[in-house]
Amino acid sequence: MRTTETLHAPRAVAPAALAELRVVDDAGRPCVPYAATGGGEPLRCCLRAAAPGERIALVSYAPLRRWAAETGAEPGAYDEQGPVFVHAGECGGPAPSEEYPFARPGALRTLRRYDAAGRIVGGRLLELPEDPAEGFGRALAEAFEDPAVALVHVRAVEYGCFHFEVRRP
């Protein structure tokens, strides 16, 4: 995310949510930590890939539900939950970066747009170009051109996994 060129900052899962998910996830299942074997799992707590041997967990996360609880929105049927990888213990969150996380040229992402009530108001499929930051920058600028858009969820197309959230600048 070229911070000098854009205000579209990717947000990791919030520390308070992580503390809860590391006990019981949003589907009501207990957290079951394990050691990353091959590494590369996209960690939503610190927005980087896991290294082999790191203690991680795969938990169910409901990002829109948690945002709605924070803002008072009522997303209704648009509330959904899905799998995300997180560190099994506190990790300190994302390091400052000028890049978007989990961005490799050719990867397919969907950018779901939500209004202040938590309802879907559009979406966009994005195949990341050779310069993923440029692709994300254009797609997010396009999303926030609509004054109704309050936040955007970026998800992997292949598995539908939530990658990160971007709120209106």
Side-chain angles (χ1 to χ4, degrees), residues 6-11 100 111-112 114 136 140 144 149-154 162 164-169:
T6 182
L7 298 175
H8 304 123
R11 297 172 61 105
Y100 286 97
L111 285 73
R112 293 186 189 166
Y114 296 91
F136 271 126
L140 290 164
F144 289 113
V149 175
L151 76 155
V152 174
H153 284 175
V154 175
F162 171 84
F164 59 89
E165 172 183 291
V166 176
R167 295 187 182 184
R168 176 167 288 286

mmCIF file with all atom_site columns, all heavy atoms in Angstrom, residues 6-11 100 111-112 114 136 140 144 149-154 162 164-169:
data_model
loop_
_atom_site.group_PDB
_atom_site.id
_atom_site.type_symbol
_atom_site.label_atom_id
_atom_site.label_alt_id
_atom_site.label_comp_id
_atom_site.label_asym_id
_atom_site.label_entity_id
_atom_site.label_seq_id
_atom_site.pdbx_PDB_ins_code
_atom_site.Cartn_x
_atom_site.Cartn_y
_atom_site.Cartn_z
_atom_site.occupancy
_atom_site.B_iso_or_equiv
_atom_site.pdbx_formal_charge
_atom_site.auth_seq_id
_atom_site.auth_comp_id
_atom_site.auth_asym_id
_atom_site.auth_atom_id
_atom_site.pdbx_PDB_model_num
ATOM 1   N N   . THR A 1 6   ? -1.727  6.817   -1.299 1.00 0.00 ? 6   THR A N   1
ATOM 2   C CA  . THR A 1 6   ? -3.106  6.397   -1.066 1.00 0.00 ? 6   THR A CA  1
ATOM 3   C C   . THR A 1 6   ? -3.442  6.402   0.415  1.00 0.00 ? 6   THR A C   1
ATOM 4   O O   . THR A 1 6   ? -2.560  6.334   1.249  1.00 0.00 ? 6   THR A O   1
ATOM 5   C CB  . THR A 1 6   ? -3.352  5.004   -1.668 1.00 0.00 ? 6   THR A CB  1
ATOM 6   O OG1 . THR A 1 6   ? -4.721  4.672   -1.459 1.00 0.00 ? 6   THR A OG1 1
ATOM 7   C CG2 . THR A 1 6   ? -2.508  3.933   -1.010 1.00 0.00 ? 6   THR A CG2 1
ATOM 8   N N   . LEU A 1 7   ? -4.717  6.475   0.690  1.00 0.00 ? 7   LEU A N   1
ATOM 9   C CA  . LEU A 1 7   ? -5.197  6.393   2.065  1.00 0.00 ? 7   LEU A CA  1
ATOM 10  C C   . LEU A 1 7   ? -5.903  5.067   2.319  1.00 0.00 ? 7   LEU A C   1
ATOM 11  O O   . LEU A 1 7   ? -6.570  4.909   3.312  1.00 0.00 ? 7   LEU A O   1
ATOM 12  C CB  . LEU A 1 7   ? -6.168  7.552   2.344  1.00 0.00 ? 7   LEU A CB  1
ATOM 13  C CG  . LEU A 1 7   ? -5.598  8.952   2.220  1.00 0.00 ? 7   LEU A CG  1
ATOM 14  C CD1 . LEU A 1 7   ? -6.702  9.988   2.402  1.00 0.00 ? 7   LEU A CD1 1
ATOM 15  C CD2 . LEU A 1 7   ? -4.497  9.178   3.231  1.00 0.00 ? 7   LEU A CD2 1
ATOM 16  N N   . HIS A 1 8   ? -5.749  4.112   1.424  1.00 0.00 ? 8   HIS A N   1
ATOM 17  C CA  . HIS A 1 8   ? -6.444  2.834   1.524  1.00 0.00 ? 8   HIS A CA  1
ATOM 18  C C   . HIS A 1 8   ? -5.616  1.838   2.322  1.00 0.00 ? 8   HIS A C   1
ATOM 19  O O   . HIS A 1 8   ? -4.965  0.962   1.755  1.00 0.00 ? 8   HIS A O   1
ATOM 20  C CB  . HIS A 1 8   ? -6.763  2.293   0.137  1.00 0.00 ? 8   HIS A CB  1
ATOM 21  C CG  . HIS A 1 8   ? -7.558  3.252   -0.688 1.00 0.00 ? 8   HIS A CG  1
ATOM 22  N ND1 . HIS A 1 8   ? -7.129  3.703   -1.911 1.00 0.00 ? 8   HIS A ND1 1
ATOM 23  C CD2 . HIS A 1 8   ? -8.732  3.857   -0.448 1.00 0.00 ? 8   HIS A CD2 1
ATOM 24  C CE1 . HIS A 1 8   ? -8.020  4.542   -2.394 1.00 0.00 ? 8   HIS A CE1 1
ATOM 25  N NE2 . HIS A 1 8   ? -8.997  4.652   -1.526 1.00 0.00 ? 8   HIS A NE2 1
ATOM 26  N N   . ALA A 1 9   ? -5.662  1.949   3.629  1.00 0.00 ? 9   ALA A N   1
ATOM 27  C CA  . ALA A 1 9   ? -4.832  1.123   4.492  1.00 0.00 ? 9   ALA A CA  1
ATOM 28  C C   . ALA A 1 9   ? -5.508  -0.203  4.819  1.00 0.00 ? 9   ALA A C   1
ATOM 29  O O   . ALA A 1 9   ? -6.616  -0.236  5.332  1.00 0.00 ? 9   ALA A O   1
ATOM 30  C CB  . ALA A 1 9   ? -4.538  1.875   5.787  1.00 0.00 ? 9   ALA A CB  1
ATOM 31  N N   . PRO A 1 10  ? -4.832  -1.331  4.524  1.00 0.00 ? 10  PRO A N   1
ATOM 32  C CA  . PRO A 1 10  ? -5.383  -2.630  4.902  1.00 0.00 ? 10  PRO A CA  1
ATOM 33  C C   . PRO A 1 10  ? -5.362  -2.781  6.417  1.00 0.00 ? 10  PRO A C   1
ATOM 34  O O   . PRO A 1 10  ? -4.402  -2.382  7.073  1.00 0.00 ? 10  PRO A O   1
ATOM 35  C CB  . PRO A 1 10  ? -4.463  -3.635  4.230  1.00 0.00 ? 10  PRO A CB  1
ATOM 36  C CG  . PRO A 1 10  ? -3.240  -2.903  3.851  1.00 0.00 ? 10  PRO A CG  1
ATOM 37  C CD  . PRO A 1 10  ? -3.566  -1.446  3.824  1.00 0.00 ? 10  PRO A CD  1
ATOM 38  N N   . ARG A 1 11  ? -6.441  -3.343  6.951  1.00 0.00 ? 11  ARG A N   1
ATOM 39  C CA  . ARG A 1 11  ? -6.566  -3.539  8.394  1.00 0.00 ? 11  ARG A CA  1
ATOM 40  C C   . ARG A 1 11  ? -6.529  -5.018  8.724  1.00 0.00 ? 11  ARG A C   1
ATOM 41  O O   . ARG A 1 11  ? -7.259  -5.808  8.144  1.00 0.00 ? 11  ARG A O   1
ATOM 42  C CB  . ARG A 1 11  ? -7.871  -2.939  8.893  1.00 0.00 ? 11  ARG A CB  1
ATOM 43  C CG  . ARG A 1 11  ? -7.959  -1.432  8.692  1.00 0.00 ? 11  ARG A CG  1
ATOM 44  C CD  . ARG A 1 11  ? -9.346  -0.926  9.020  1.00 0.00 ? 11  ARG A CD  1
ATOM 45  N NE  . ARG A 1 11  ? -9.702  -1.171  10.394 1.00 0.00 ? 11  ARG A NE  1
ATOM 46  C CZ  . ARG A 1 11  ? -9.739  -0.248  11.344 1.00 0.00 ? 11  ARG A CZ  1
ATOM 47  N NH1 . ARG A 1 11  ? -9.460  0.997   11.047 1.00 0.00 ? 11  ARG A NH1 1
ATOM 48  N NH2 . ARG A 1 11  ? -10.073 -0.548  12.567 1.00 0.00 ? 11  ARG A NH2 1
ATOM 49  N N   . TYR A 1 100 ? 0.485   -4.038  -0.190 1.00 0.00 ? 100 TYR A N   1
ATOM 50  C CA  . TYR A 1 100 ? -0.727  -4.727  0.246  1.00 0.00 ? 100 TYR A CA  1
ATOM 51  C C   . TYR A 1 100 ? -0.353  -6.163  0.580  1.00 0.00 ? 100 TYR A C   1
ATOM 52  O O   . TYR A 1 100 ? 0.488   -6.763  -0.089 1.00 0.00 ? 100 TYR A O   1
ATOM 53  C CB  . TYR A 1 100 ? -1.795  -4.694  -0.852 1.00 0.00 ? 100 TYR A CB  1
ATOM 54  C CG  . TYR A 1 100 ? -2.434  -3.342  -0.988 1.00 0.00 ? 100 TYR A CG  1
ATOM 55  C CD1 . TYR A 1 100 ? -1.997  -2.436  -1.943 1.00 0.00 ? 100 TYR A CD1 1
ATOM 56  C CD2 . TYR A 1 100 ? -3.476  -2.961  -0.147 1.00 0.00 ? 100 TYR A CD2 1
ATOM 57  C CE1 . TYR A 1 100 ? -2.576  -1.189  -2.066 1.00 0.00 ? 100 TYR A CE1 1
ATOM 58  C CE2 . TYR A 1 100 ? -4.058  -1.715  -0.259 1.00 0.00 ? 100 TYR A CE2 1
ATOM 59  C CZ  . TYR A 1 100 ? -3.604  -0.832  -1.218 1.00 0.00 ? 100 TYR A CZ  1
ATOM 60  O OH  . TYR A 1 100 ? -4.180  0.413   -1.319 1.00 0.00 ? 100 TYR A OH  1
ATOM 61  N N   . LEU A 1 111 ? -13.364 -7.835  -4.212 1.00 0.00 ? 111 LEU A N   1
ATOM 62  C CA  . LEU A 1 111 ? -13.479 -6.699  -3.297 1.00 0.00 ? 111 LEU A CA  1
ATOM 63  C C   . LEU A 1 111 ? -14.964 -6.445  -3.101 1.00 0.00 ? 111 LEU A C   1
ATOM 64  O O   . LEU A 1 111 ? -15.646 -5.964  -4.005 1.00 0.00 ? 111 LEU A O   1
ATOM 65  C CB  . LEU A 1 111 ? -12.780 -5.462  -3.870 1.00 0.00 ? 111 LEU A CB  1
ATOM 66  C CG  . LEU A 1 111 ? -11.252 -5.468  -3.806 1.00 0.00 ? 111 LEU A CG  1
ATOM 67  C CD1 . LEU A 1 111 ? -10.637 -6.416  -4.811 1.00 0.00 ? 111 LEU A CD1 1
ATOM 68  C CD2 . LEU A 1 111 ? -10.716 -4.076  -3.977 1.00 0.00 ? 111 LEU A CD2 1
ATOM 69  N N   . ARG A 1 112 ? -15.475 -6.822  -1.932 1.00 0.00 ? 112 ARG A N   1
ATOM 70  C CA  . ARG A 1 112 ? -16.889 -6.642  -1.627 1.00 0.00 ? 112 ARG A CA  1
ATOM 71  C C   . ARG A 1 112 ? -17.077 -5.316  -0.916 1.00 0.00 ? 112 ARG A C   1
ATOM 72  O O   . ARG A 1 112 ? -16.421 -5.030  0.078  1.00 0.00 ? 112 ARG A O   1
ATOM 73  C CB  . ARG A 1 112 ? -17.394 -7.771  -0.736 1.00 0.00 ? 112 ARG A CB  1
ATOM 74  C CG  . ARG A 1 112 ? -17.406 -9.095  -1.427 1.00 0.00 ? 112 ARG A CG  1
ATOM 75  C CD  . ARG A 1 112 ? -18.052 -10.134 -0.551 1.00 0.00 ? 112 ARG A CD  1
ATOM 76  N NE  . ARG A 1 112 ? -17.872 -11.450 -1.135 1.00 0.00 ? 112 ARG A NE  1
ATOM 77  C CZ  . ARG A 1 112 ? -18.084 -12.566 -0.482 1.00 0.00 ? 112 ARG A CZ  1
ATOM 78  N NH1 . ARG A 1 112 ? -18.489 -12.544 0.767  1.00 0.00 ? 112 ARG A NH1 1
ATOM 79  N NH2 . ARG A 1 112 ? -17.899 -13.718 -1.080 1.00 0.00 ? 112 ARG A NH2 1
ATOM 80  N N   . TYR A 1 114 ? -19.425 -2.605  1.160  1.00 0.00 ? 114 TYR A N   1
ATOM 81  C CA  . TYR A 1 114 ? -20.528 -2.571  2.116  1.00 0.00 ? 114 TYR A CA  1
ATOM 82  C C   . TYR A 1 114 ? -20.851 -1.123  2.480  1.00 0.00 ? 114 TYR A C   1
ATOM 83  O O   . TYR A 1 114 ? -19.952 -0.288  2.578  1.00 0.00 ? 114 TYR A O   1
ATOM 84  C CB  . TYR A 1 114 ? -20.166 -3.326  3.398  1.00 0.00 ? 114 TYR A CB  1
ATOM 85  C CG  . TYR A 1 114 ? -19.935 -4.799  3.165  1.00 0.00 ? 114 TYR A CG  1
ATOM 86  C CD1 . TYR A 1 114 ? -18.659 -5.283  2.878  1.00 0.00 ? 114 TYR A CD1 1
ATOM 87  C CD2 . TYR A 1 114 ? -20.984 -5.715  3.225  1.00 0.00 ? 114 TYR A CD2 1
ATOM 88  C CE1 . TYR A 1 114 ? -18.439 -6.634  2.666  1.00 0.00 ? 114 TYR A CE1 1
ATOM 89  C CE2 . TYR A 1 114 ? -20.769 -7.065  3.010  1.00 0.00 ? 114 TYR A CE2 1
ATOM 90  C CZ  . TYR A 1 114 ? -19.494 -7.518  2.732  1.00 0.00 ? 114 TYR A CZ  1
ATOM 91  O OH  . TYR A 1 114 ? -19.280 -8.856  2.516  1.00 0.00 ? 114 TYR A OH  1
ATOM 92  N N   . PHE A 1 136 ? -4.598  -2.821  -6.670 1.00 0.00 ? 136 PHE A N   1
ATOM 93  C CA  . PHE A 1 136 ? -5.410  -2.588  -5.466 1.00 0.00 ? 136 PHE A CA  1
ATOM 94  C C   . PHE A 1 136 ? -5.770  -1.112  -5.348 1.00 0.00 ? 136 PHE A C   1
ATOM 95  O O   . PHE A 1 136 ? -6.900  -0.763  -5.016 1.00 0.00 ? 136 PHE A O   1
ATOM 96  C CB  . PHE A 1 136 ? -4.661  -3.022  -4.203 1.00 0.00 ? 136 PHE A CB  1
ATOM 97  C CG  . PHE A 1 136 ? -4.865  -4.449  -3.818 1.00 0.00 ? 136 PHE A CG  1
ATOM 98  C CD1 . PHE A 1 136 ? -3.780  -5.280  -3.613 1.00 0.00 ? 136 PHE A CD1 1
ATOM 99  C CD2 . PHE A 1 136 ? -6.143  -4.980  -3.627 1.00 0.00 ? 136 PHE A CD2 1
ATOM 100 C CE1 . PHE A 1 136 ? -3.951  -6.606  -3.226 1.00 0.00 ? 136 PHE A CE1 1
ATOM 101 C CE2 . PHE A 1 136 ? -6.323  -6.296  -3.256 1.00 0.00 ? 136 PHE A CE2 1
ATOM 102 C CZ  . PHE A 1 136 ? -5.222  -7.113  -3.057 1.00 0.00 ? 136 PHE A CZ  1
ATOM 103 N N   . LEU A 1 140 ? -9.618  0.030   -5.147 1.00 0.00 ? 140 LEU A N   1
ATOM 104 C CA  . LEU A 1 140 ? -10.115 0.640   -3.911 1.00 0.00 ? 140 LEU A CA  1
ATOM 105 C C   . LEU A 1 140 ? -10.559 2.079   -4.143 1.00 0.00 ? 140 LEU A C   1
ATOM 106 O O   . LEU A 1 140 ? -11.574 2.515   -3.600 1.00 0.00 ? 140 LEU A O   1
ATOM 107 C CB  . LEU A 1 140 ? -9.063  0.546   -2.812 1.00 0.00 ? 140 LEU A CB  1
ATOM 108 C CG  . LEU A 1 140 ? -8.844  -0.885  -2.299 1.00 0.00 ? 140 LEU A CG  1
ATOM 109 C CD1 . LEU A 1 140 ? -7.552  -0.985  -1.507 1.00 0.00 ? 140 LEU A CD1 1
ATOM 110 C CD2 . LEU A 1 140 ? -10.033 -1.357  -1.479 1.00 0.00 ? 140 LEU A CD2 1
ATOM 111 N N   . PHE A 1 144 ? -14.362 3.476   -3.347 1.00 0.00 ? 144 PHE A N   1
ATOM 112 C CA  . PHE A 1 144 ? -14.680 4.601   -2.472 1.00 0.00 ? 144 PHE A CA  1
ATOM 113 C C   . PHE A 1 144 ? -15.143 5.849   -3.220 1.00 0.00 ? 144 PHE A C   1
ATOM 114 O O   . PHE A 1 144 ? -15.523 6.837   -2.592 1.00 0.00 ? 144 PHE A O   1
ATOM 115 C CB  . PHE A 1 144 ? -13.511 4.893   -1.533 1.00 0.00 ? 144 PHE A CB  1
ATOM 116 C CG  . PHE A 1 144 ? -13.335 3.824   -0.484 1.00 0.00 ? 144 PHE A CG  1
ATOM 117 C CD1 . PHE A 1 144 ? -12.228 3.004   -0.477 1.00 0.00 ? 144 PHE A CD1 1
ATOM 118 C CD2 . PHE A 1 144 ? -14.311 3.628   0.482  1.00 0.00 ? 144 PHE A CD2 1
ATOM 119 C CE1 . PHE A 1 144 ? -12.073 2.008   0.480  1.00 0.00 ? 144 PHE A CE1 1
ATOM 120 C CE2 . PHE A 1 144 ? -14.172 2.635   1.452  1.00 0.00 ? 144 PHE A CE2 1
ATOM 121 C CZ  . PHE A 1 144 ? -13.048 1.822   1.443  1.00 0.00 ? 144 PHE A CZ  1
ATOM 122 N N   . VAL A 1 149 ? -20.249 3.622   0.035  1.00 0.00 ? 149 VAL A N   1
ATOM 123 C CA  . VAL A 1 149 ? -19.340 2.571   0.493  1.00 0.00 ? 149 VAL A CA  1
ATOM 124 C C   . VAL A 1 149 ? -18.632 3.008   1.780  1.00 0.00 ? 149 VAL A C   1
ATOM 125 O O   . VAL A 1 149 ? -17.950 4.025   1.807  1.00 0.00 ? 149 VAL A O   1
ATOM 126 C CB  . VAL A 1 149 ? -18.309 2.207   -0.602 1.00 0.00 ? 149 VAL A CB  1
ATOM 127 C CG1 . VAL A 1 149 ? -17.279 1.211   -0.080 1.00 0.00 ? 149 VAL A CG1 1
ATOM 128 C CG2 . VAL A 1 149 ? -19.024 1.657   -1.826 1.00 0.00 ? 149 VAL A CG2 1
ATOM 129 N N   . ALA A 1 150 ? -18.819 2.202   2.821  1.00 0.00 ? 150 ALA A N   1
ATOM 130 C CA  . ALA A 1 150 ? -18.188 2.471   4.111  1.00 0.00 ? 150 ALA A CA  1
ATOM 131 C C   . ALA A 1 150 ? -16.937 1.623   4.315  1.00 0.00 ? 150 ALA A C   1
ATOM 132 O O   . ALA A 1 150 ? -15.993 2.050   4.972  1.00 0.00 ? 150 ALA A O   1
ATOM 133 C CB  . ALA A 1 150 ? -19.169 2.203   5.252  1.00 0.00 ? 150 ALA A CB  1
ATOM 134 N N   . LEU A 1 151 ? -16.944 0.405   3.779  1.00 0.00 ? 151 LEU A N   1
ATOM 135 C CA  . LEU A 1 151 ? -15.786 -0.463  3.909  1.00 0.00 ? 151 LEU A CA  1
ATOM 136 C C   . LEU A 1 151 ? -15.767 -1.472  2.776  1.00 0.00 ? 151 LEU A C   1
ATOM 137 O O   . LEU A 1 151 ? -16.791 -1.729  2.127  1.00 0.00 ? 151 LEU A O   1
ATOM 138 C CB  . LEU A 1 151 ? -15.746 -1.169  5.259  1.00 0.00 ? 151 LEU A CB  1
ATOM 139 C CG  . LEU A 1 151 ? -16.687 -2.338  5.486  1.00 0.00 ? 151 LEU A CG  1
ATOM 140 C CD1 . LEU A 1 151 ? -16.095 -3.249  6.553  1.00 0.00 ? 151 LEU A CD1 1
ATOM 141 C CD2 . LEU A 1 151 ? -18.028 -1.836  5.981  1.00 0.00 ? 151 LEU A CD2 1
ATOM 142 N N   . VAL A 1 152 ? -14.590 -2.035  2.568  1.00 0.00 ? 152 VAL A N   1
ATOM 143 C CA  . VAL A 1 152 ? -14.379 -3.035  1.525  1.00 0.00 ? 152 VAL A CA  1
ATOM 144 C C   . VAL A 1 152 ? -13.681 -4.225  2.167  1.00 0.00 ? 152 VAL A C   1
ATOM 145 O O   . VAL A 1 152 ? -12.717 -4.061  2.910  1.00 0.00 ? 152 VAL A O   1
ATOM 146 C CB  . VAL A 1 152 ? -13.510 -2.471  0.374  1.00 0.00 ? 152 VAL A CB  1
ATOM 147 C CG1 . VAL A 1 152 ? -13.168 -3.563  -0.639 1.00 0.00 ? 152 VAL A CG1 1
ATOM 148 C CG2 . VAL A 1 152 ? -14.191 -1.289  -0.293 1.00 0.00 ? 152 VAL A CG2 1
ATOM 149 N N   . HIS A 1 153 ? -14.199 -5.426  1.879  1.00 0.00 ? 153 HIS A N   1
ATOM 150 C CA  . HIS A 1 153 ? -13.530 -6.649  2.301  1.00 0.00 ? 153 HIS A CA  1
ATOM 151 C C   . HIS A 1 153 ? -12.831 -7.248  1.086  1.00 0.00 ? 153 HIS A C   1
ATOM 152 O O   . HIS A 1 153 ? -13.444 -7.420  0.028  1.00 0.00 ? 153 HIS A O   1
ATOM 153 C CB  . HIS A 1 153 ? -14.530 -7.662  2.858  1.00 0.00 ? 153 HIS A CB  1
ATOM 154 C CG  . HIS A 1 153 ? -14.997 -7.334  4.226  1.00 0.00 ? 153 HIS A CG  1
ATOM 155 N ND1 . HIS A 1 153 ? -15.962 -8.050  4.866  1.00 0.00 ? 153 HIS A ND1 1
ATOM 156 C CD2 . HIS A 1 153 ? -14.638 -6.358  5.090  1.00 0.00 ? 153 HIS A CD2 1
ATOM 157 C CE1 . HIS A 1 153 ? -16.181 -7.543  6.066  1.00 0.00 ? 153 HIS A CE1 1
ATOM 158 N NE2 . HIS A 1 153 ? -15.388 -6.509  6.217  1.00 0.00 ? 153 HIS A NE2 1
ATOM 159 N N   . VAL A 1 154 ? -11.568 -7.553  1.256  1.00 0.00 ? 154 VAL A N   1
ATOM 160 C CA  . VAL A 1 154 ? -10.786 -8.203  0.209  1.00 0.00 ? 154 VAL A CA  1
ATOM 161 C C   . VAL A 1 154 ? -10.712 -9.682  0.553  1.00 0.00 ? 154 VAL A C   1
ATOM 162 O O   . VAL A 1 154 ? -10.342 -10.050 1.675  1.00 0.00 ? 154 VAL A O   1
ATOM 163 C CB  . VAL A 1 154 ? -9.371  -7.593  0.103  1.00 0.00 ? 154 VAL A CB  1
ATOM 164 C CG1 . VAL A 1 154 ? -8.513  -8.350  -0.904 1.00 0.00 ? 154 VAL A CG1 1
ATOM 165 C CG2 . VAL A 1 154 ? -9.461  -6.110  -0.260 1.00 0.00 ? 154 VAL A CG2 1
ATOM 166 N N   . PHE A 1 162 ? -11.415 -14.385 3.811  1.00 0.00 ? 162 PHE A N   1
ATOM 167 C CA  . PHE A 1 162 ? -11.218 -12.973 4.097  1.00 0.00 ? 162 PHE A CA  1
ATOM 168 C C   . PHE A 1 162 ? -9.716  -12.724 4.219  1.00 0.00 ? 162 PHE A C   1
ATOM 169 O O   . PHE A 1 162 ? -9.022  -13.453 4.929  1.00 0.00 ? 162 PHE A O   1
ATOM 170 C CB  . PHE A 1 162 ? -11.926 -12.644 5.417  1.00 0.00 ? 162 PHE A CB  1
ATOM 171 C CG  . PHE A 1 162 ? -11.639 -11.284 5.950  1.00 0.00 ? 162 PHE A CG  1
ATOM 172 C CD1 . PHE A 1 162 ? -12.352 -10.186 5.503  1.00 0.00 ? 162 PHE A CD1 1
ATOM 173 C CD2 . PHE A 1 162 ? -10.667 -11.092 6.918  1.00 0.00 ? 162 PHE A CD2 1
ATOM 174 C CE1 . PHE A 1 162 ? -12.096 -8.917  6.006  1.00 0.00 ? 162 PHE A CE1 1
ATOM 175 C CE2 . PHE A 1 162 ? -10.406 -9.836  7.428  1.00 0.00 ? 162 PHE A CE2 1
ATOM 176 C CZ  . PHE A 1 162 ? -11.122 -8.747  6.969  1.00 0.00 ? 162 PHE A CZ  1
ATOM 177 N N   . PHE A 1 164 ? -8.292  -9.045  4.163  1.00 0.00 ? 164 PHE A N   1
ATOM 178 C CA  . PHE A 1 164 ? -8.177  -7.836  4.977  1.00 0.00 ? 164 PHE A CA  1
ATOM 179 C C   . PHE A 1 164 ? -9.337  -6.913  4.655  1.00 0.00 ? 164 PHE A C   1
ATOM 180 O O   . PHE A 1 164 ? -10.082 -7.129  3.707  1.00 0.00 ? 164 PHE A O   1
ATOM 181 C CB  . PHE A 1 164 ? -6.822  -7.130  4.800  1.00 0.00 ? 164 PHE A CB  1
ATOM 182 C CG  . PHE A 1 164 ? -6.495  -6.706  3.392  1.00 0.00 ? 164 PHE A CG  1
ATOM 183 C CD1 . PHE A 1 164 ? -6.879  -5.448  2.915  1.00 0.00 ? 164 PHE A CD1 1
ATOM 184 C CD2 . PHE A 1 164 ? -5.776  -7.530  2.539  1.00 0.00 ? 164 PHE A CD2 1
ATOM 185 C CE1 . PHE A 1 164 ? -6.557  -5.051  1.624  1.00 0.00 ? 164 PHE A CE1 1
ATOM 186 C CE2 . PHE A 1 164 ? -5.451  -7.144  1.246  1.00 0.00 ? 164 PHE A CE2 1
ATOM 187 C CZ  . PHE A 1 164 ? -5.843  -5.894  0.793  1.00 0.00 ? 164 PHE A CZ  1
ATOM 188 N N   . GLU A 1 165 ? -9.461  -5.897  5.487  1.00 0.00 ? 165 GLU A N   1
ATOM 189 C CA  . GLU A 1 165 ? -10.523 -4.903  5.349  1.00 0.00 ? 165 GLU A CA  1
ATOM 190 C C   . GLU A 1 165 ? -9.901  -3.532  5.097  1.00 0.00 ? 165 GLU A C   1
ATOM 191 O O   . GLU A 1 165 ? -8.827  -3.236  5.602  1.00 0.00 ? 165 GLU A O   1
ATOM 192 C CB  . GLU A 1 165 ? -11.315 -4.880  6.664  1.00 0.00 ? 165 GLU A CB  1
ATOM 193 C CG  . GLU A 1 165 ? -12.335 -3.789  6.794  1.00 0.00 ? 165 GLU A CG  1
ATOM 194 C CD  . GLU A 1 165 ? -12.998 -3.843  8.159  1.00 0.00 ? 165 GLU A CD  1
ATOM 195 O OE1 . GLU A 1 165 ? -13.760 -4.792  8.423  1.00 0.00 ? 165 GLU A OE1 1
ATOM 196 O OE2 . GLU A 1 165 ? -12.737 -2.939  8.967  1.00 0.00 ? 165 GLU A OE2 1
ATOM 197 N N   . VAL A 1 166 ? -10.608 -2.725  4.316  1.00 0.00 ? 166 VAL A N   1
ATOM 198 C CA  . VAL A 1 166 ? -10.202 -1.327  4.112  1.00 0.00 ? 166 VAL A CA  1
ATOM 199 C C   . VAL A 1 166 ? -11.432 -0.487  4.411  1.00 0.00 ? 166 VAL A C   1
ATOM 200 O O   . VAL A 1 166 ? -12.505 -0.731  3.864  1.00 0.00 ? 166 VAL A O   1
ATOM 201 C CB  . VAL A 1 166 ? -9.712  -1.079  2.663  1.00 0.00 ? 166 VAL A CB  1
ATOM 202 C CG1 . VAL A 1 166 ? -9.383  0.392   2.456  1.00 0.00 ? 166 VAL A CG1 1
ATOM 203 C CG2 . VAL A 1 166 ? -8.520  -1.953  2.334  1.00 0.00 ? 166 VAL A CG2 1
ATOM 204 N N   . ARG A 1 167 ? -11.274 0.467   5.310  1.00 0.00 ? 167 ARG A N   1
ATOM 205 C CA  . ARG A 1 167 ? -12.378 1.363   5.656  1.00 0.00 ? 167 ARG A CA  1
ATOM 206 C C   . ARG A 1 167 ? -12.253 2.670   4.895  1.00 0.00 ? 167 ARG A C   1
ATOM 207 O O   . ARG A 1 167 ? -11.173 3.048   4.467  1.00 0.00 ? 167 ARG A O   1
ATOM 208 C CB  . ARG A 1 167 ? -12.406 1.618   7.158  1.00 0.00 ? 167 ARG A CB  1
ATOM 209 C CG  . ARG A 1 167 ? -12.699 0.347   7.924  1.00 0.00 ? 167 ARG A CG  1
ATOM 210 C CD  . ARG A 1 167 ? -12.891 0.592   9.387  1.00 0.00 ? 167 ARG A CD  1
ATOM 211 N NE  . ARG A 1 167 ? -13.119 -0.678  10.081 1.00 0.00 ? 167 ARG A NE  1
ATOM 212 C CZ  . ARG A 1 167 ? -13.394 -0.757  11.354 1.00 0.00 ? 167 ARG A CZ  1
ATOM 213 N NH1 . ARG A 1 167 ? -13.463 0.321   12.102 1.00 0.00 ? 167 ARG A NH1 1
ATOM 214 N NH2 . ARG A 1 167 ? -13.585 -1.950  11.910 1.00 0.00 ? 167 ARG A NH2 1
ATOM 215 N N   . ARG A 1 168 ? -13.378 3.362   4.783  1.00 0.00 ? 168 ARG A N   1
ATOM 216 C CA  . ARG A 1 168 ? -13.382 4.653   4.094  1.00 0.00 ? 168 ARG A CA  1
ATOM 217 C C   . ARG A 1 168 ? -12.334 5.550   4.731  1.00 0.00 ? 168 ARG A C   1
ATOM 218 O O   . ARG A 1 168 ? -12.265 5.705   5.935  1.00 0.00 ? 168 ARG A O   1
ATOM 219 C CB  . ARG A 1 168 ? -14.760 5.309   4.193  1.00 0.00 ? 168 ARG A CB  1
ATOM 220 C CG  . ARG A 1 168 ? -14.770 6.713   3.570  1.00 0.00 ? 168 ARG A CG  1
ATOM 221 C CD  . ARG A 1 168 ? -16.161 7.255   3.376  1.00 0.00 ? 168 ARG A CD  1
ATOM 222 N NE  . ARG A 1 168 ? -16.864 6.584   2.299  1.00 0.00 ? 168 ARG A NE  1
ATOM 223 C CZ  . ARG A 1 168 ? -16.638 6.759   0.998  1.00 0.00 ? 168 ARG A CZ  1
ATOM 224 N NH1 . ARG A 1 168 ? -15.697 7.579   0.585  1.00 0.00 ? 168 ARG A NH1 1
ATOM 225 N NH2 . ARG A 1 168 ? -17.348 6.117   0.099  1.00 0.00 ? 168 ARG A NH2 1
ATOM 226 N N   . PRO A 1 169 ? -11.469 6.139   3.875  1.00 0.00 ? 169 PRO A N   1
ATOM 227 C CA  . PRO A 1 169 ? -10.422 7.045   4.413  1.00 0.00 ? 169 PRO A CA  1
ATOM 228 C C   . PRO A 1 169 ? -11.040 8.281   5.066  1.00 0.00 ? 169 PRO A C   1
ATOM 229 O O   . PRO A 1 169 ? -12.112 8.692   4.751  1.00 0.00 ? 169 PRO A O   1
ATOM 230 C CB  . PRO A 1 169 ? -9.613  7.434   3.185  1.00 0.00 ? 169 PRO A CB  1
ATOM 231 C CG  . PRO A 1 169 ? -10.097 6.615   2.041  1.00 0.00 ? 169 PRO A CG  1
ATOM 232 C CD  . PRO A 1 169 ? -11.377 5.973   2.445  1.00 0.00 ? 169 PRO A CD  1
#
